[in-house]
Amino acid sequence: MPEEQNEITLGLLNAVHDNSHVTQRSVAQELGVALGLVNAYLKRCVKKGYIKVRQAPANRYAYYLTPAGFAAKSRLTAHYLSQSLTFFRNARQECSEILATCTERNWPRIALAGTSDLAEITILCAAEFPVQLIGVLDETADGIPFFGLPVADIPKRLGSIDAVVVTDLTDPQSIYDGLVAHFPAERILAPGILGIVRNPAKPRRKEGA
């Protein structure tokens, strides 16, 4: 998908996430594109299962992100940020804050989730803290170490883990959702730049539905 299409889709998903009663006209104004283009992208997102539409009072509509929509939003955010000139600076700051939190909470044995540029930045930051990076979780593990760290497809192959830092840039929301089955949510940490939603809001069901 061309970068412009990615940006419009991400802008629409962000707008719906921020306000379920947002209007297509306001989204068009915010993104600086034609109203018809927003309508076309909205229909595309509904077709892909990213957004659900509910009729609201006064002949208006309410829009909600689905779990697939949250995952797409996270994925597009990560992709956009990885292309940004400010990515390294922001990532380094947030990774340092995460490692400081692990130090304060006495979680010295840390695993990363995802081989990526973000994982490399975290490895660089870890040298400044009294923590031990014990490995990288990656389902596509091929046995080749990542910057000297062992790579495993399942957590138990890395031994005892105090905390996990999400460093995947392909689909960080799905990685986070998968980790919840293995670790307490408070021990799964992620840079805010990934846009991960810990408890995706679900639209309320109508009475009798």
Side-chain angles (χ1 to χ4, degrees):
M1 181 184 292
E3 290 303 312
E4 183 179 2
Q5 295 182 25
N6 276 336
E7 290 185 20
I8 295 174
T9 300
L10 177 58
L12 177 58
L13 294 176
N14 279 330
V16 171
H17 176 240
D18 293 339
N19 179 13
S20 62
H21 295 284
V22 69
T23 65
Q24 294 182 40
R25 187 173 301 279
S26 65
V27 173
Q29 293 175 344
E30 181 179 344
L31 299 181
V33 298
L35 178 60
L37 190 60
V38 170
N39 182 263
Y41 273 80
L42 177 62
K43 290 180 179 178
R44 183 180 301 174
C45 286
V46 171
K47 184 176 181 180
K48 287 185 175 182
Y50 296 164
I51 295 175
K52 283 189 175 181
V53 183
R54 297 284 178 86
Q55 189 163 5
N59 294 320
R60 301 188 67 177
Y61 295 92
Y63 307 99
Y64 302 93
L65 289 190
T66 65
F70 280 107
K73 174 178 174 294
S74 177
R75 183 172 62 253
L76 289 171
T77 298
H79 173 77
Y80 175 77
L81 287 171
S82 68
Q83 306 303 314
S84 171
L85 294 177
T86 62
F87 173 71
F88 180 84
R89 183 176 69 248
N90 292 339
R92 187 177 180 87
Q93 178 180 343
E94 294 201 32
C95 287
S96 292
E97 291 173 354
I98 286 174
L99 293 171
T101 296
C102 290
T103 299
E104 293 171 1
R105 297 180 180 178
N106 194 28
W107 296 342
R109 292 176 58 82
I110 302 171
L112 307 182
T115 55
S116 68
D117 291 343
L118 183 57
E120 183 179 351
I121 292 171
T122 307
I123 292 171
L124 292 173
C125 292
E128 302 173 4
F129 296 89
V131 298
Q132 179 186 3
L133 298 183
I134 60 174
V136 185
L137 295 170
D138 194 319
E139 292 184 352
T140 61
D142 53 12
I144 300 177
F146 182 79
F147 287 88
L149 295 177
V151 180
D153 55 348
I154 54 177
K156 69 178 182 179
R157 297 189 189 280
L158 296 180
S160 175
I161 299 174
D162 294 320
V164 182
V165 180
V166 178
T167 52
D168 179 82
L169 287 176
T170 303
D171 193 353
Q173 184 69 54
S174 292
I175 295 299
Y176 170 80
D177 293 341
L179 289 171
V180 172
H182 300 280
F183 302 95
E186 66 271 15
R187 290 183 182 246
I188 306 172
L189 309 173
I193 56 175
L194 294 181
I196 289 175
V197 179
R198 291 181 173 270
N199 295 297
K202 296 182 179 180
R204 295 181 180 178
R205 297 182 60 186
K206 294 183 178 180
E207 294 185 4

